[in-house]
Amino acid sequence: MSITRRHFGFGLAALGLTACSSTVPASGSSGSPGLPADLRPAPNAGYDAWVAAFRTRAEAKGISSATLRAAFRGAGYLPGVVKRDRNQTEFKRTLEDYLSIAVSDERLSKGRAAFARHGATLRALERTYGVDAEIICAVWGLESFYGERRGNVPVISATSTLAYDGRRGAFFEKQLLAALRILQNGDITPARMTGSWAGAMGHTQFIPTSYQAFAVDFTGDGRRDIWSEDPSDALASTAAYLQRNGWTRGVKWGGEAGAPGTPGGRSLQPQEGGPVFIVTGNFNAIKRYNNSDSYAIGVGHLADRIAGGGPLRASFPPDKYGLTKDDRILLQKRLTARGFDTGGADGVLGPKSRAAISAFQSSRGLPATGDPSKALLDSLN
């Protein structure tokens, strides 16, 4: 069976790649602590009427009245979920920028530390499912920063809000029903069933239907607990997902063309003038998790780095402003030194860096375009 895990504003939120992300650190229990006001239940008579009608449909599909009472106790309409769903933007990054975030020094160092802590489990999963231990760890790193950013939005509230809203009502009603079946099965309590604003759950951000299809009780405690501080069940579920979506044991995902150990396969150059990659069928299995070449390369390259591999050998071309990554890092450092905070110096000119550029331009009486340039960089020298 081949099931694609649908992404819609979650997963990559952990990378800061979605402008509308509201993924918050895991709280470990209730879905309330740390949430902004618009992600807390708000009165909505239309939502209440929709829930009342939905209960009848749910009971007809085998959801018990006891499960429904427990699930909706304290649940409610979350206006911030609708806002985030409506405001999703197609945010196109170059592969160079994507990898700067996906395989940042921090994500790599934390990945190696996480692998050291959970290596026995990851190796056991490799033996069981045939998926490389480092690949499983890399998915974990991209999806939730190794469990640090699992999200604490109540899943019943989030999925019912989106089902009621109607933009993708049928899809989210299906997710809501799946979440209720998970509760009815006893895998988790309503208070602990938390995730992203769009209902993605746990260490590796499974949506409820994917959980139903692939979640694994690796610890043997009778529950498929992907929310636990112990990531074992979540990592096993990811391995099972990749295995059942075409992963071939003993075959690498691919690698940079010409690099030692890169297998044979098809050629891929996602960014013109940038590195060329050779990818195998296992690259396509990763894309079943998220249908993006950049995501699959990010997972594969992060996995290689966790395993001790080095950075890419080929360089990327200058951007459309004529700046290299080193230029952009220097620009960020110089702006910050002048008091215009860019939020860090990673060479990725996101909204905060562009706001800093605009503020600097305004301070000099220049048009506040927010666009970088060689002249701007030189003026900060």
Side-chain angles (χ1 to χ4, degrees):
M1 176 170 57
S2 181
I3 298 177
T4 300
R5 195 184 71 123
R6 297 272 301 275
H7 274 64
F8 34 84
F10 55 85
L12 296 186
L15 298 183
L17 295 181
T18 49
C20 59
S21 167
S22 65
T23 300
V24 289
S27 66
S29 56
S30 168
S32 296
L35 287 174
D38 68 350
L39 289 176
R40 296 173 182 269
N44 186 304
Y47 168 86
D48 294 340
W50 183 91
V51 170
F54 168 77
R55 285 174 181 262
T56 301
R57 297 195 297 276
E59 288 183 347
K61 294 183 178 182
I63 306 300
S64 71
S65 57
T67 297
L68 287 163
R69 282 195 303 273
F72 281 95
R73 187 179 300 123
Y77 177 80
L78 306 182
V81 164
V82 174
K83 175 184 174 183
R84 286 157 179 78
D85 184 57
R86 298 278 175 83
N87 290 345
Q88 288 191 88
T89 304
E90 285 298 322
F91 201 60
K92 191 81 171 172
R93 287 198 187 273
T94 64
L95 178 64
E96 182 180 29
D97 279 358
Y98 188 100
L99 293 179
S100 293
I101 300 169
V103 196
S104 65
D105 290 345
E106 182 184 15
R107 199 178 306 271
L108 177 57
S109 64
K110 289 192 172 187
R112 288 174 174 167
F115 195 95
R117 289 194 307 273
H118 299 282
T121 296
L122 290 162
R123 292 298 183 199
L125 294 174
E126 182 176 312
R127 291 191 297 272
T128 301
Y129 295 100
V131 180
D132 295 358
E134 291 85 1
I135 290 287
I136 302 168
C137 189
V139 171
W140 185 24
L142 264 66
E143 292 295 333
S144 72
F145 220 90
Y146 313 102
E148 291 183 13
R149 302 175 188 176
R150 282 168 272 164
N152 61 359
V153 180
V155 170
I156 297 300
S157 291
T159 53
S160 61
T161 294
L162 289 167
Y164 159 69
D165 178 59
R167 191 173 79 84
R168 290 174 288 175
F171 175 78
F172 279 106
E173 182 162 331
K174 186 178 180 180
Q175 298 308 315
L176 174 58
L177 284 166
L180 290 166
R181 292 188 179 105
I182 294 166
L183 293 174
Q184 189 157 282
N185 192 56
D187 285 301
I188 194 70
T189 64
R192 289 190 60 232
M193 183 183 261
T194 57
S196 76
W197 64 261
M201 310 177 297
H203 287 265
T204 51
Q205 296 290 279
F206 270 33
I207 57 174
T209 50
S210 290
Y211 175 100
Q212 283 194 297
F214 301 106
V216 172
D217 174 20
F218 189 72
T219 62
D221 65 358
R223 296 181 298 113
R224 299 171 295 170
D225 190 355
I226 64 173
W227 302 267
S228 171
E229 290 302 311
D230 177 357
S232 298
D233 284 359
L235 298 177
S237 300
T238 295
Y241 184 102
L242 292 170
Q243 180 203 47
R244 290 177 59 189
N245 278 282
W247 187 275
T248 301
R249 183 186 294 267
V251 176
K252 284 178 60 67
W253 70 274
E256 187 178 7
T262 297
R266 68 181 176 91
S267 177
L268 181 68
Q269 188 181 37
Q271 183 174 340
E272 185 177 354
V276 175
F277 299 89
I278 306 298
V279 299
T280 70
N282 283 345
F283 178 82
N284 296 329
I286 298 171
K287 287 183 65 175
R288 298 296 296 178
Y289 214 85
N290 183 320
N291 189 24
S292 158
D293 285 346
S294 291
Y295 178 86
I297 291 170
V299 167
H301 186 50
L302 178 58
D304 291 345
R305 297 297 308 277
I306 288 171
L312 296 175
R313 303 188 307 172
S315 60
F316 287 90
D319 62 21
K320 65 181 181 179
Y321 303 103
L323 301 177
T324 65
K325 181 177 179 179
D326 287 343
D327 291 332
R328 296 191 296 271
I329 290 173
L330 185 57
L331 175 62
Q332 289 171 319
K333 287 180 176 178
R334 287 179 176 175
L335 283 166
T336 300
R338 294 285 191 94
F340 301 93
D341 183 19
T342 61
D346 57 5
V348 179
L349 301 182
K352 194 159 188 178
S353 290
R354 290 184 172 275
I357 292 170
S358 291
F360 173 77
Q361 290 169 328
S362 294
S363 74
R364 297 299 186 272
L366 302 170
T369 64
D371 291 335
S373 67
K374 279 279 193 182
L376 176 68
L377 177 60
D378 292 341
S379 72
L380 286 161
N381 198 347

